[in-house]
Every structure is written in structure tokens, then in C-alpha cells.
Amino acid sequence: MDKAGIREVAKAAGVSISTVSRAFAHPEVVSEKTRHKVLQAADQLDFNISRSAAALKSGQTFRVALLMNEEITSWFNTQIFAGINSIMHDAGYDISVFQHIDTADMRRKFFTDLPVRRNVDAVFVASFAIDEKEVEQLKRIRVPIIGINTPSIDGFDASISIDDENGMYTATQHLLNLGHKHIVYACSAASESMDSSRGRAFADSALSALLALDEFPDAICCQIDMMAIPLMLKLERYGHRTPRDYSIIGFDDSPYADTVNLTTMKQDPFKMGRSAAQKAIKLINGEEPEKPHEIVQPTLMLRESDALYTD
């Protein structure tokens, strides 16, 4: 039996050929009811649209790149990817993931090869900055660049970032309001990136530094939850129990924060990924996002690792 074409699908679904094409290539502009009819007809007729043909006609590759400075297995990156995919998948796009792209070799390879191959329609950059030369290479082939939690918005067509500074200010102010006066901030060195996989190692360094202090602090702010969680568990072995002896606050509201009752500053990387993807869809279609550059405020999640302090 001859394989059905787009005309047969359109006839079976009772729609135009262009509507069938949009249902596959740009489902966001087709109603859910219409798309369901088209997909049902296509399934019954064993029809599938040629992505290569659609790409040739539109000039699009239906692929986007996600650049990460760490591994995708970290909590933050996994959620970012899931958020982007929740939008891009339904719009007909695949996601190519590039891990550890902040290393010199990986960056040079990506930004040198991409202009030649022109095999993505947008680039997402998660948690690191890009330089002027890299921006120029992407602008030359008209590929929009969307930043997610990047140090600055320079060179990006759109971005969404968490307000880390204000989040830590809120955490510190909370501890001050509880009466704490000797507050320590536990973090990585400015030159080192921090993710959940490295948090445990940094917790060991922070533990040694804390135990070496002449006076143990009455409160600790941590750069990420995955530093705070192992730190509070290890400190208990040395007789320092929270919230009896000190308060501790993390940042992220990552997995296990609720399990160990860690007070933390909550951010939502899944929602950030979705927002970045929605901005990308607009830019790919030649439209301006409603909020090209967006700053998200973290929220204080009160649990049981902090308490009123009195001398």
C-alpha cells in the first residue's frame, strides 16, 4: 500500500495542508483540539513529516544547544534541562547537550564548528559568561543566545537568572532578626565553580575551617544546599547540633533539603528552564520576548535548622 502524504492527512483531519504542517513544525500556534485531530489522522494513515524537508523549507534545524559548565547529572542542570525540554519537545525541537563547555578546548571547538555547520536554531548557556568573540560568531549566523543564571546579560538576546545577592541578603537578614551576631558564610573560592557534586568536598574544607576557629559561629550561611547538608551532619559528630547550638541556611531547596529540615533559599531551575525556552521560541520565530531579561527572586523556606539565639 502506498504511504499517505500530507494531502491525505489534511483531508482525513478536515484541515488545510498548511495546518498539518504547523501541527508538526509549530504546535504552539495550533489549538490542542486541531492538533489532536491531525495527529490522530497521521497515526491512522502511518504518516510522519520529514524533518529534513521541513528544515530545508524553513531554514531551521529543529535543534537547540544547551551549554553547561558542569555535568548534566547535577541537580540544577537536570532541572534546567527538564524545563527546557518541556517546552522545546512539544515545539518539535531536539536538545543537544554540551557538558563542561567552560573548558578552553570545549569552548573553542563548539564556537569554531557551529558557524560552519549551522546545526542549531538557538543556544542556551547555563551558569557561565561568554566573551565578545563567541557572541560575534553566533550573531553572524543569526543564532539567538539565551542565558540561564549567567553572571551578566552582556551578549545575550534573552536571559533569566536568580538574584543570588538578594537571596543571600535575605538569608543573612533572617539570621540577624533571630539574634545571631557571629555569622559565617561557607562558599567556594571565587575562581571555582560550585555544583552539588563538588559541594560535599567543599563541606569537608568548611568543616576543618569551622572547627579551627577560636569561637564557633552561632549561624552559618552556605552557598548551596549540597554544602550545607553534609556540613550540618558532620558537625553533629563533633557535638555541634542545629538548631540547638547554631543555625544554618542553605541555598537552592534542592533534593534532601526537606528531608533534613534545612532552612534554605528556594529557587526553581525547572521553571527557569521553561521560561528560557519560551523566550527562545519567540526569538527563533523573529519575535521579541515580553521580558527579554528576567531576574527571579528566591524565597525563604523556613524549616527547623534555624532558631532564635540568645547570649
Side-chain angles (χ1 to χ4, degrees):
M1 184 174 67
D2 292 337
K3 197 168 185 178
I6 195 170
R7 292 180 183 277
E8 287 75 19
V9 174
K11 183 177 180 181
V15 298
S16 66
I17 293 174
S18 60
T19 298
V20 174
S21 179
R22 284 195 296 271
F24 281 90
H26 297 288
E28 75 280 1
V29 301
V30 180
S31 71
E32 186 65 31
K33 182 179 179 181
T34 299
R35 185 164 185 262
H36 177 73
K37 286 196 303 181
V38 170
L39 293 179
Q40 189 175 45
D43 184 55
Q44 291 172 348
L45 295 171
D46 191 27
F47 168 84
N48 61 79
I49 195 165
S50 169
R51 173 169 291 199
S52 58
L56 285 171
K57 183 178 179 181
S58 67
Q60 293 180 234
T61 66
F62 296 99
R63 183 185 296 108
V64 295
L66 172 57
L67 314 187
M68 298 177 167
N69 65 337
E70 295 290 346
E71 295 179 358
I72 193 173
T73 52
S74 73
W75 167 77
F76 184 86
N77 285 340
T78 298
Q79 291 298 304
I80 286 290
F81 175 84
I84 293 173
N85 189 58
S86 70
I87 297 295
M88 303 308 294
H89 180 271
D90 288 344
Y93 287 83
D94 293 330
I95 305 172
S96 294
V97 177
F98 297 81
Q99 304 176 77
H100 297 286
I101 199 72
D102 59 340
T103 61
D105 288 342
M106 286 291 291
R107 286 179 75 145
R108 184 169 54 251
K109 180 175 175 56
F110 178 84
F111 288 102
T112 299
D113 289 353
L114 183 67
V116 176
R117 296 165 64 189
R118 181 55 172 92
N119 63 347
V120 297
D121 295 326
V123 174
F124 296 96
V125 176
S127 302
F128 67 94
I130 53 178
D131 63 36
E132 291 182 7
K133 186 176 180 181
E134 292 165 344
V135 171
E136 183 182 339
Q137 287 175 302
L138 296 181
K139 295 290 187 186
R140 183 159 49 88
I141 56 174
R142 297 189 178 93
V143 173
I145 318 167
I146 302 93
I148 304 173
N149 215 33
T150 53
S152 75
I153 63 173
D154 293 342
F156 292 96
D157 297 290
S159 66
I160 180 165
S161 296
I162 197 77
D163 193 337
D164 293 315
E165 184 176 345
N166 187 61
M168 197 51 66
Y169 174 86
T170 300
T172 305
Q173 191 61 56
H174 172 67
L175 292 173
L176 291 171
N177 292 340
L178 291 175
H180 296 288
K181 297 178 181 178
H182 186 192
I183 302 171
V184 167
Y185 178 52
C187 64
S188 64
S191 60
E192 297 177 288
S193 61
M194 170 68 83
D195 70 352
S196 57
S197 62
R198 296 188 183 185
R200 292 181 292 277
F202 282 113
D204 289 334
S205 299
L207 176 67
S208 299
L210 286 167
L211 295 176
L213 294 174
D214 294 333
E215 180 185 355
F216 193 80
D218 55 53
I220 303 170
C221 279
C222 288
Q223 185 179 2
I224 63 172
D225 290 348
M226 293 311 293
M227 174 187 276
I229 293 171
L231 184 60
M232 64 189 289
L233 295 176
K234 291 178 181 182
L235 280 172
E236 189 167 347
R237 300 175 193 167
Y238 289 87
H240 299 284
R241 183 175 298 174
T242 183
R244 183 192 67 189
D245 305 316
Y246 71 100
S247 291
I248 186 168
I249 293 182
F251 202 110
D252 281 341
D253 197 27
S254 59
Y256 305 115
D258 182 54
T259 303
V260 300
N261 286 318
L262 175 68
T263 292
T264 185
M265 298 302 301
K266 179 182 178 65
Q267 63 172 322
D268 192 339
F270 179 84
K271 188 179 290 186
M272 291 171 68
R274 282 183 61 87
S275 178
Q278 289 165 343
K279 296 177 194 296
I281 293 291
K282 287 278 190 181
L283 290 167
I284 290 171
N285 292 333
E287 303 171 18
E288 183 76 8
E290 186 177 341
K291 294 181 180 178
H293 300 286
E294 195 174 350
I295 299 294
V296 181
Q297 298 299 328
T299 55
L300 181 63
M301 295 293 294
L302 295 173
R303 295 198 175 98
E304 298 179 13
S305 67
D306 59 318
L308 286 170
Y309 178 78
T310 56
D311 291 325

